[in-house]
Amino acid sequence: MTDTRRRVKVYTLNEDRQWDDRGTGHVSSGYVERLKGMSLLVRAESDGSLLLESKINPNTAYQKQQDTLIVWSEAENYDLALSFQEKAGCDEIWEKICQVQGKDPSVDITQDLVDESEEERFDDMSSPGLELPSCELSRLEEIAELVASSLPSPLRREKLALALENEGYIKKLLELFHVCEDLENIEGLHHLYEIIKGIFLLNRTALFEVMFSEECIMDVIGCLEYDPALSQPRKHREFLTKTAKFKEVIPISDPELKQKIHQTYRVQYIQDMVLPTPSVFEENMLSTLHSFIFFNKVEIVGMLQEDEKFLTDLFAQLTDEATDEEKRQELVNFLKEFCAFSQTLQPQNRDAFFKTLSNMGILPALEVILGMDDTQVRSAATDIFSYLVEYNPSMVREFVMQEAQQNDDVSKKLTEQKITSKDILLINLIIEHMICDTDPELGGAVQLMGLLRTLVDPENMLATANKTEKTEFLGFFYKHCMHVLTAPLLANTTEDKPSKDDFQTAQLLALVLELLTFCVEHHTYHIKNYIINKDILRRVLVLMASKHAFLALCALRFKRKIIGLKDEFYNRYIMKSFLFEPVVKAFLNNGSRYNLMNSAIIEMFEFIRVEDIKSLTAHVIENYWKALEDVDYVQTFKGLKLRFEQQRERQDNPKLDSMRSILRNHRYRRDARTLEDEEEMWFNTDEDDMEDGEAVVSPSDKTKNDDDIMDPISKFMERKKLKESEEKEVLLKTNLSGRQSPSFKLSLSSGTKTTLSSQSPATNLPGSPGSPGSPGSPGSPGSIPKNTSQTAAITTKEGSKFYHQKCRKDIISEKTNSFGRLMFPRTSS
């Protein structure tokens, strides 16, 4: 198979500063005699021709980008790049390059920016700086060529940047821009576009400070309007000055802060809208531009955070009922953007930021905003709330619990005065907005459900010596909020099928069930008490009758999560209310269709069987066996019946359990050495010396009270033989031709149990006790034929020597007691 790790594309940089694809092949490294050194070789995957043969020069600056790119320059205007299909291949070749150059593979560039070839070092010593052409209209083409030729070399970029800084060259270029526009010199404007774009790629903060200053930034944007690739210039300046209006929702008194906000917006606009999308090889060349915007945002957040008057006015107007809707929407949008800016802060600064907002009362303000009718305002408030929950859910939980305590105190006083009050908690507002989301796709409801899940997740709850947040908050949530969350579920499941079964309602109920399922998994006794006391599971299973398969599966998943806990409190509740009935009905109604519903229901019953949940096994077989006995394309239900029969057998024969306990504890074990000697004699007996049916009994066994020991075993084997014959008969009733729709349609009330009919005697069919090879037939392991003495196991002439040796090894290694021959009888092959 082709080694995809070393699969690469070869790129070269053309005169237009665009990367040309030279082909796809596989790269390797090795010593090339002609080049006198280790080299990189790329052979085309189509015909094996040589796409690249490049010597790894000890002084060449190789650069690794984005984990799958290696870029380098071989000549002044000849840049190469290898783009790997997989990161592993890039790392492998990068280690080879670093090994040749004696560098640590952890670096992203093998040479310092100023550490170029010997020729460039000589040029650096002889020519300390780069001499720029005079800034004239007639020399714009020359300037553009100089900038383009300097970009491939780190040293020449450094020299060009220093020259531009020291000579105030950028301002002179922008003066020429005005001249070209006045003269409508399109060719000159195209050259200026290439020059300004090249200066951006120099990636120098000092140059950005000049270009983004108040006096220069609009002219820079103007230069970038004249892209030679476009037939008509763009109108970015017109958009920024006429369309985009700066609104001060709260007057900003600090002129420096105001100027910083303007600058950041314009630079962000340049990055997103004006500059062409950089190629994968140019992204790192704009890293300083990203950093410039980042640190501007940090400064803006810091300056606003320190302005207490500004924040006080902001929250006062947000919560003032007299504030008109348009103004309030602007305030909320500003606060949302303010919180979005905070995501750029370092963790310690972000802590201080949210602490300041908390002290200013952002949560009470959000509660007021979320209670309003304006959909856009509520949407923005939800986004702000999500920032708070994702950052510090404990802060939100503490607020809502304090709010509940205050409401309880107020309600108590009002009750004494015979006045009623309506308590609206922040978390209940969130639940109500989730339930009442008008979006057909419930986009807002999905977001809010995620926030609720974060708030009720015990994994992010604090636990200290004096305070356990999990206990306190979950107690609060189930007392004050759970009834609001389950209200649409309870309202829609009053009958045997959902009252409303439209798509949007089904989506909403699926979200509620998802959160309830999460609670079952993580909240233990809180959700257990709620489900049992409110009979929630019965109401959830009504949704199994929904026409929307995803909702029915959500209901089934909820029950499966409960059964998966193997909690007898839940099990008794399920059995008492006959809560398997909706599941069995859904299974039968699904018929022979092989779909997710079919598989999920079978998996639930299979879990009960494998985990041997005795109470549920008995309940299912006693009440629903008639409905399930004809399901023959899986053995799950027959396996459940077998489990049930085994349980009943153990209950009817308590002595059998005690006998098994005796055997497990090895109570009648003899001396190990004596046992080994007798086993050696038994295995070494010549089979030809024995006749068919001759018993082999050790002399020491005959001295024991055979009747006392063997009687319970023989009875057990007889019962086992009878049980296995019945099991075989049941299994043989399977119709092997394919699936069938169950012929029995379940119709049960919650208080009615179906009765089981007794099994008919097994007939002498293949696989029955009388047939060869069945569990109860002569010559099969684990059984004793009818004509066999109760005190011995049978060995026959057809017995395999290999099987004897295997049994001997097993018995000796386990040091089995004297009943080993009964547990491992010799059989015909």
Side-chain angles (χ1 to χ4, degrees):
M1 191 176 75
T2 305
D3 185 2
T4 58
R5 290 181 308 164
R6 295 199 177 193
R7 190 167 184 263
V8 296
K9 279 186 176 291
V10 180
Y11 291 92
T12 58
L13 195 66
N14 61 27
E15 294 179 354
D16 298 328
R17 307 300 303 160
Q18 300 295 324
W19 289 95
D20 294 333
D21 185 353
R22 294 300 185 185
T24 303
H26 291 84
V27 65
S28 62
S29 62
Y31 185 83
V32 177
E33 183 65 30
R34 184 175 61 82
L35 299 177
K36 303 295 182 183
M38 292 292 293
S39 304
L40 297 176
L41 305 172
V42 179
R43 294 195 176 276
E45 66 178 359
S46 57
D47 56 6
S49 61
L50 198 62
L51 294 179
L52 175 69
E53 185 179 64
S54 173
K55 180 182 177 181
I56 303 175
N57 193 310
N59 298 317
T60 298
Y62 291 85
Q63 188 173 7
K64 184 168 74 166
Q65 301 177 5
Q66 301 180 359
D67 292 334
T68 56
L69 284 173
I70 297 179
V71 184
W72 73 98
S73 300
E74 290 208 343
E76 185 174 347
N77 288 316
Y78 187 61
D79 287 9
L80 288 163
L82 294 179
S83 176
F84 288 78
Q85 180 172 329
E86 295 184 10
K87 178 180 181 297
C90 183
D91 292 342
E92 188 177 339
I93 296 301
W94 183 251
E95 288 180 7
K96 294 287 186 183
I97 294 171
C98 293
Q99 183 180 356
V100 172
Q101 294 198 342
K103 300 292 183 179
D104 184 353
S106 63
V107 301
D108 289 333
I109 186 167
T110 60
Q111 305 290 334
D112 294 333
L113 292 179
V114 295
D115 187 15
E116 287 292 299
S117 65
E118 294 293 334
E119 182 182 353
E120 288 191 334
R121 285 204 192 97
F122 180 76
D123 290 344
D124 188 30
M125 294 171 62
S126 61
S127 175
L130 184 68
E131 186 176 351
L132 295 171
S134 58
C135 197
E136 300 173 0
L137 281 177
S138 59
R139 306 194 69 175
L140 281 176
E141 184 176 0
E142 183 182 349
I143 298 169
E145 290 178 355
L146 175 64
V147 172
S149 64
S150 299
L151 290 175
S153 168
L155 179 60
R156 291 176 66 82
R157 284 204 305 268
E158 189 78 11
K159 288 181 179 181
L160 177 60
L162 289 173
L164 291 171
E165 290 175 37
N166 296 334
E167 300 181 20
Y169 211 77
I170 293 176
K171 291 185 179 180
K172 296 177 185 178
L173 289 170
L174 295 178
E175 290 174 4
L176 285 181
F177 167 69
H178 288 289
V179 174
C180 288
E181 273 206 318
D182 293 340
L183 298 175
E184 296 184 357
N185 183 350
I186 301 300
E187 184 180 358
L189 291 170
H190 286 170
H191 289 318
L192 282 167
Y193 171 89
E194 297 291 349
I195 293 168
I196 296 299
K197 177 188 171 186
I199 293 174
F200 268 96
L201 296 177
L202 292 176
N203 214 21
R204 296 278 293 194
T205 304
L207 296 178
F208 289 156
E209 293 286 354
V210 176
M211 296 167 72
F212 300 151
S213 62
E214 187 72 22
E215 58 180 319
C216 296
I217 189 167
M218 295 305 291
D219 291 336
V220 169
I221 294 172
C223 290
L224 293 173
E225 289 179 350
Y226 293 92
D227 186 348
L230 302 175
S231 58
Q232 293 293 328
R234 299 288 178 85
K235 297 182 179 181
H236 298 302
R237 287 172 294 171
E238 181 180 335
F239 173 82
L240 290 172
T241 54
K242 296 180 180 179
T243 306
K245 297 293 185 181
F246 177 69
K247 293 183 179 180
E248 293 183 67
V249 290
I250 302 291
I252 298 174
S253 56
D254 187 347
E256 183 183 355
L257 173 59
K258 190 181 297 187
Q259 189 275 331
K260 187 71 68 176
I261 293 173
H262 282 294
Q263 183 191 60
T264 304
Y265 175 78
R266 290 166 179 169
V267 176
Q268 186 86 57
Y269 182 82
I270 291 173
Q271 182 192 44
D272 296 340
M273 304 299 296
V274 180
L275 285 176
T277 303
S279 69
V280 292
F281 306 108
E282 294 175 332
E283 284 187 354
N284 286 350
M285 292 183 174
L286 293 175
S287 58
T288 306
L289 180 61
H290 300 316
S291 300
F292 187 93
I293 297 171
F294 172 83
F295 288 112
N296 262 21
K297 289 181 177 180
V298 171
E299 283 189 56
I300 291 170
V301 172
M303 295 168 76
L304 286 173
Q305 188 178 334
E306 293 170 3
D307 192 340
E308 292 186 7
K309 182 180 183 305
F310 178 86
L311 291 178
T312 303
D313 291 345
L314 172 66
F315 285 106
Q317 292 191 36
L318 270 175
T319 55
D320 188 355
E321 294 182 0
T323 305
D324 61 78
E325 290 186 3
E326 184 178 355
K327 177 72 170 178
R328 196 186 310 279
Q329 185 174 344
E330 291 174 355
L331 291 166
V332 173
N333 287 332
F334 170 81
L335 185 57
K336 174 185 171 181
E337 190 171 0
F338 190 33
C339 291
F341 272 27
S342 73
Q343 303 305 299
T344 63
L345 298 175
Q346 295 296 321
Q348 62 271 22
N349 296 334
R350 195 158 60 244
D351 286 343
F353 171 81
F354 281 110
K355 189 173 182 180
T356 300
L357 291 185
S358 178
N359 294 337
M360 297 300 298
I362 187 170
L363 285 168
L366 284 178
E367 192 170 16
V368 173
I369 298 167
L370 287 168
M372 296 178 177
D373 296 330
D374 193 322
T375 305
Q376 292 183 336
V377 170
R378 287 207 313 263
S379 176
T382 300
D383 291 335
I384 298 169
F385 185 69
S386 69
Y387 285 123
L388 296 172
V389 172
E390 290 169 9
Y391 169 69
N392 192 348
S394 291
M395 178 180 74
V396 179
R397 284 191 285 259
E398 184 176 359
F399 169 77
V400 295
M401 285 192 291
Q402 290 176 353
E403 183 186 30
Q405 183 61 46
Q406 292 171 0
N407 285 347
D408 287 345
D409 294 341
V410 171
S411 297
K412 186 177 180 181
K413 292 179 181 179
L414 293 176
T415 301
E416 293 173 355
Q417 301 173 15
K418 298 184 179 180
I419 301 174
T420 59
S421 68
K422 184 180 180 182
D423 299 335
I424 300 179
L425 301 174
L426 174 60
I427 195 167
N428 282 346
L429 279 174
I430 297 298
I431 296 173
E432 287 174 6
H433 289 323
M434 182 185 86
I435 293 171
C436 301
D437 188 7
T438 55
D439 179 10
E441 298 297 326
L442 294 186
V446 172
Q447 179 188 12
L448 292 172
M449 195 279 292
L451 297 178
L452 287 172
R453 179 169 176 159
T454 302
L455 287 174
V456 301
D457 187 355
E459 295 297 323
N460 60 44
M461 294 183 182
L462 303 176
T464 61
N466 301 325
K467 179 180 177 181
T468 304
E469 187 179 17
K470 178 179 178 180
T471 302
E472 294 181 3
F473 181 75
L474 291 183
F476 153 81
F477 182 79
Y478 282 89
K479 178 181 178 182
H480 295 278
C481 309
M482 185 56 91
H483 66 282
V484 183
L485 178 65
T486 57
L489 170 67
L490 298 177
N492 207 40
T493 55
T494 54
E495 305 295 334
D496 292 337
K497 60 181 181 179
S499 305
K500 291 177 63 180
D501 205 17
D502 58 281
F503 180 73
Q504 191 166 357
T505 302
Q507 274 191 308
L508 174 63
L509 293 179
L511 285 177
V512 173
L513 282 178
E514 184 178 343
L515 190 56
L516 289 176
T517 304
F518 177 83
C519 293
V520 167
E521 186 175 4
H522 293 89
H523 289 177
T524 59
Y525 66 91
H526 289 92
I527 187 69
K528 185 193 304 181
N529 291 339
Y530 189 82
I531 288 174
I532 294 175
N533 291 335
K534 301 293 184 181
D535 199 16
I536 295 296
L537 180 56
R538 183 177 64 81
R539 304 294 284 273
V540 167
L541 291 176
V542 170
L543 301 177
M544 293 285 293
S546 170
K547 66 182 180 183
H548 299 285
F550 70 89
L551 180 58
L553 287 167
C554 284
L556 184 63
R557 189 184 306 119
F558 179 72
K559 180 171 182 177
R560 173 64 176 81
K561 186 66 69 176
I562 289 175
I563 291 176
L565 297 176
K566 297 190 286 188
D567 187 317
E568 281 303 312
F569 284 98
Y570 277 130
N571 294 346
R572 285 195 290 271
Y573 162 59
I574 290 171
M575 294 184 294
K576 181 179 179 181
S577 301
F578 290 87
L579 296 182
F580 275 102
E581 182 173 334
V583 177
V584 175
K585 280 184 177 179
F587 181 69
L588 297 177
N589 291 336
N590 191 63
S592 59
R593 285 176 291 178
Y594 180 47
N595 53 19
L596 192 56
M597 177 64 72
N598 175 275
S599 299
I601 293 176
I602 290 174
E603 189 279 332
M604 184 174 70
F605 285 108
E606 181 68 14
F607 176 83
I608 295 172
R609 185 193 70 80
V610 171
E611 295 296 324
D612 195 16
I613 305 177
K614 296 178 175 55
S615 56
L616 295 184
T617 300
H619 177 75
V620 169
I621 296 302
E622 289 173 354
N623 295 280
Y624 307 105
W625 173 243
K626 278 287 186 182
L628 302 172
E629 64 178 338
D630 289 333
V631 179
D632 52 14
Y633 52 83
V634 291
Q635 299 304 309
T636 296
F637 302 108
K638 293 178 174 59
L640 270 177
K641 179 72 182 311
L642 182 60
R643 287 277 195 194
F644 173 71
E645 296 292 347
Q646 291 171 346
Q647 292 174 26
R648 191 167 61 178
E649 182 178 311
R650 284 194 291 268
Q651 292 171 357
D652 295 342
N653 300 277
K655 291 182 179 180
L656 182 59
D657 279 343
S658 63
M659 188 60 199
R660 286 174 176 163
S661 177
I662 291 173
L663 293 178
R664 278 198 302 269
N665 294 331
H666 307 289
R667 291 202 176 167
Y668 293 100
R669 178 171 295 183
R670 293 173 295 162
D671 177 69
R673 183 180 53 79
T674 307
L675 174 65
E676 290 174 2
D677 292 341
E678 292 171 358
E679 287 167 348
E680 188 71 29
M681 180 179 65
W682 184 73
F683 279 107
N684 290 335
T685 303
D686 189 356
E687 293 180 80
D688 295 334
D689 296 338
M690 293 185 290
E691 297 179 0
D692 289 349
E694 182 181 352
V696 180
V697 185
S698 62
S700 59
D701 286 344
K702 294 181 179 180
T703 62
K704 296 183 181 293
N705 189 337
D706 290 345
D707 292 336
D708 292 342
I709 295 176
M710 296 308 302
D711 188 272
I713 294 179
S714 61
K715 289 181 180 179
F716 163 68
M717 298 306 287
E718 289 296 328
R719 281 194 299 271
K720 181 178 179 184
K721 182 168 61 177
L722 177 61
K723 179 191 68 178
E724 288 176 344
S725 67
E726 291 177 352
E727 178 190 353
K728 278 294 179 180
E729 181 193 5
V730 170
L731 294 177
L732 284 168
K733 290 168 66 179
T734 301
N735 185 351
L736 299 178
S737 62
R739 292 171 175 248
Q740 295 179 349
S741 299
S743 59
F744 176 78
K745 295 297 179 184
L746 187 63
S747 178
L748 297 173
S749 65
S750 60
T752 308
K753 298 183 179 180
T754 57
T755 58
L756 293 172
S757 60
S758 59
Q759 295 290 325
S760 59
T763 57
N764 192 12
L765 294 171
S768 63
S771 63
S774 68
S777 64
S780 69
S783 62
I784 299 179
K786 294 180 180 180
N787 61 347
T788 303
S789 169
Q790 295 180 354
T791 60
I794 298 301
T795 180
T796 66
K797 289 183 179 181
E798 291 82 3
S800 167
K801 194 75 172 180
F802 171 77
Y803 187 73
H804 293 172
Q805 293 170 354
K806 180 179 183 300
C807 290
R808 175 172 177 262
K809 181 179 178 182
D810 291 344
I811 296 172
I812 293 175
S813 63
E814 294 293 332
K815 296 192 180 297
T816 318
N817 54 41
S818 59
F819 300 110
R821 295 166 199 167
L822 287 169
M823 312 310 286
F824 296 90
R826 309 174 79 185
T827 69
S828 60
S829 57

